Amino acid sequence: MSNEQALQQYDVKKYRTPDGYTSDIAVFTILSAKAETFKPPFMDLQIMLIKRSMLDSEGRPNMEAGKWALPGGFVDPEESAFQSAQRELREETGVDHIHLEHFGVYDTPGRDPRGWIISNAHYAIVPEHLLSERRANDDASEVELFSVEKVLDLDLAFDHARIIQDAIAVIRQKLLETTVAKEFLPEEFTYSELQAVLKTVTNDSAIVLDAAFARKIKSLPFIQEVPGKKTTRTSKKPTQLYRFIDVEVNNSIYHAKK
Amino acid sequence: MSNEQALQQYDVKKYRTPDGYTSDIAVFTILSAKAETFKPPFMDLQIMLIKRSMLDSEGRPNMEAGKWALPGGFVDPEESAFQSAQRELREETGVDHIHLEHFGVYDTPGRDPRGWIISNAHYAIVPEHLLSERRANDDASEVELFSVEKVLDLDLAFDHARIIQDAIAVIRQKLLETTVAKEFLPEEFTYSELQAVLKTVTNDSAIVLDAAFARKIKSLPFIQEVPGKKTTRTSKKPTQLYRFIDVEVNNSIYHAKK
DNA sequence: CAAATAGTGTCTTTGAGACATTATCGG
DNA sequence: CCGATAATGTCTCAAAGACACTATTTG
């Protein structure tokens, strides 16, 4: 085939190319505030940010030093942005094998003063207990969790305010429109635990009212009772356990719900 | 602030950077096959591809010459990938001010033999009549529409088979889960016209059965009757016209439909 | 037994789904 | 008046929403 000829004559310098290709990761977790015995949980959706060091790893002044930012970094040539996000999350937080999804590209000219730098934004869902191992790395002097209600009041680096805002909107939508809520829950969970996760993103009466939600969970096609299995972790009265099952959810706005 | 210091010492060559940054556009249109008078339309969802020239604009052998490919091209440094997609669509097809959306990034190492080339994929919805002006440009020897049912049988350039497959899945989902169907319809339309658009992507009985759909359209919260306005373009009996209204659609899988 | 959470009984209302029937017009 | 498409009548069944009531356990 003639691709070889074409390749020989191809001038890789013909077009101006980006000055950098990066991945950013919006790491979400849910903290169970006041986890008392025999109480349904009260949960808060949080996002993990790093505080950028004053000096970079080579001892020079760092860009956007002292500001809060999404963890992330440059993509290596032999990996995709998604793989880079996985790798960075592993390197920076020790967390692996979690739900990670690409949700946007940020490439507006001028978004990064260092030049033409393209960032791929991902969101990650990390169970609370896995974040205990988190640690600060080269570029970060601190690592902290912030409630999504308050994170946008911070002084944020680059265009990360925008990216974080988008990430919050995406995870809100995903929690309600897909079954990702399961990533925040144990394998088997009670109706009030699922309810607590959903209440971090909606106030709708069908979800907030206990009786309505306890009844509804039984008719949801993607959730199944674990036969005969109960727990007392959320109340004195033993509570039925449920699990997610893999069925495709028809989310058409023109169809009735099945 | 200290960003200026940091910038002075920043070495733009510190990281290996991509060899190219491109946009691809999956242009969809709907062809009304056999548009007879007093007949509801029968529609077919199609995608526009170009056939890559044997020689490039400078007369050298072209990459992936002779294969079918998505229109697209290199992003300029002073624009975003989205703007580049708009520009290329305008330049290559003369079409502007249409629905255009980013849906994915393709950056798997080795996807393009020319090097480390990142592509942002977009889909566009173009009304049939606007595509009459389309024309072949430098890199394209032919421009043609293909039914989404058959397009994947072609010999496609680069990883465009994958991108096209994803684009078709995205537009199927968007047509059913959002109100983008309106981009394929006139401002005011009949139930059977909307039904014909949806039938290009689903066989579900609630949509295929006339009586059911004619009744359902009245209860959809995002569609409104145009009071007293009827047309005879789809049948001898005058048919009620409808229009989309802007309301946010609650697509939660945990809620009842409102 | 008091308190708290889980879960059901019951009633009303809404609408989905299926199928038959009626309405309207051009030719 | 035939044929085709649009639209409604009617019946059944499922479930949503609201609210009261019952069940189960611990301290």
Side-chain angles (χ1 to χ4, degrees), chain B residues 74-203:
Chain B
F74 285 85
V75 179
D76 291 339
E78 69 280 356
E79 67 184 359
S80 66
F82 184 80
Q83 289 165 339
S84 153
Q86 285 180 311
R87 175 180 54 76
E88 270 148 19
L89 204 56
R90 195 168 50 237
E91 291 173 3
E92 296 185 4
T93 69
V95 169
D96 207 351
H97 307 296
I98 52 136
H99 188 88
L100 187 67
E101 216 168 303
H102 180 270
F103 72 84
V105 175
Y106 294 83
D107 65 351
T108 316
R111 61 174 289 276
D112 188 314
R114 290 170 294 187
W116 187 11
I117 294 189
I118 296 152
S119 177
N120 279 281
H122 303 76
Y123 71 88
I125 292 179
V126 179
E128 180 184 355
H129 63 95
L130 292 182
L131 284 185
S132 47
E133 318 174 30
R134 70 184 189 272
R135 57 183 184 267
N137 79 334
D138 291 349
D139 266 5
S141 61
E142 291 173 51
V143 180
E144 207 164 302
L145 293 174
F146 297 93
S147 168
V148 296
E149 310 293 338
K150 293 178 190 156
V151 67
L152 290 172
D153 299 337
L154 296 173
D155 187 20
L156 295 161
F158 306 112
D159 56 352
H160 288 198
R162 174 71 190 287
I163 302 178
I164 291 168
Q165 197 172 13
D166 292 350
I168 293 170
V170 166
I171 200 166
R172 285 214 158 103
Q173 188 222 328
K174 297 279 179 182
L175 276 175
L176 293 174
E177 299 185 11
T178 75
T179 56
V180 276
K182 73 161 173 278
E183 309 293 334
F184 283 123
L185 291 166
E187 191 69 24
E188 301 180 343
F189 53 88
T190 70
Y191 85 90
S192 59
E193 289 169 333
L194 172 57
Q195 190 186 21
V197 170
L198 299 178
K199 275 158 79 174
T200 64
V201 295
T202 184
N203 295 314

Side-chain angles (χ1 to χ4, degrees), chain B residues 39 191-192 215 218 234-236 239-240:
Chain B
K39 284 280 180 188
Y191 85 90
S192 59
R215 182 165 275 152
K218 290 185 198 142
T234 60
S235 89
K236 295 167 183 172
T239 310
Q240 179 61 48

Side-chain angles (χ1 to χ4, degrees), chain B residues 22-95:
Chain B
T22 65
S23 278
D24 285 316
I25 310 122
V27 180
F28 289 97
T29 192
I30 284 194
L31 286 195
S32 299
K34 47 172 186 172
E36 300 166 43
T37 49
F38 306 129
K39 284 280 180 188
F42 177 81
M43 296 181 171
D44 188 33
L45 184 63
Q46 309 219 333
I47 185 170
M48 190 182 85
L49 298 182
I50 60 169
K51 190 170 202 168
R52 294 178 64 85
S53 315
M54 298 314 285
L55 303 177
D56 70 12
S57 48
E58 282 134 38
R60 283 176 294 201
N62 202 7
M63 289 301 301
E64 300 282 47
K67 293 190 180 178
W68 290 100
L70 294 167
F74 285 85
V75 179
D76 291 339
E78 69 280 356
E79 67 184 359
S80 66
F82 184 80
Q83 289 165 339
S84 153
Q86 285 180 311
R87 175 180 54 76
E88 270 148 19
L89 204 56
R90 195 168 50 237
E91 291 173 3
E92 296 185 4
T93 69
V95 169

Side-chain angles (χ1 to χ4, degrees), chain A residues 39 191-192 215 218 234-235 237 239-240:
Chain A
K39 284 278 179 190
Y191 85 90
S192 59
R215 185 166 271 152
K218 291 184 199 143
T234 59
S235 89
K237 175 172 178 182
T239 309
Q240 179 61 51

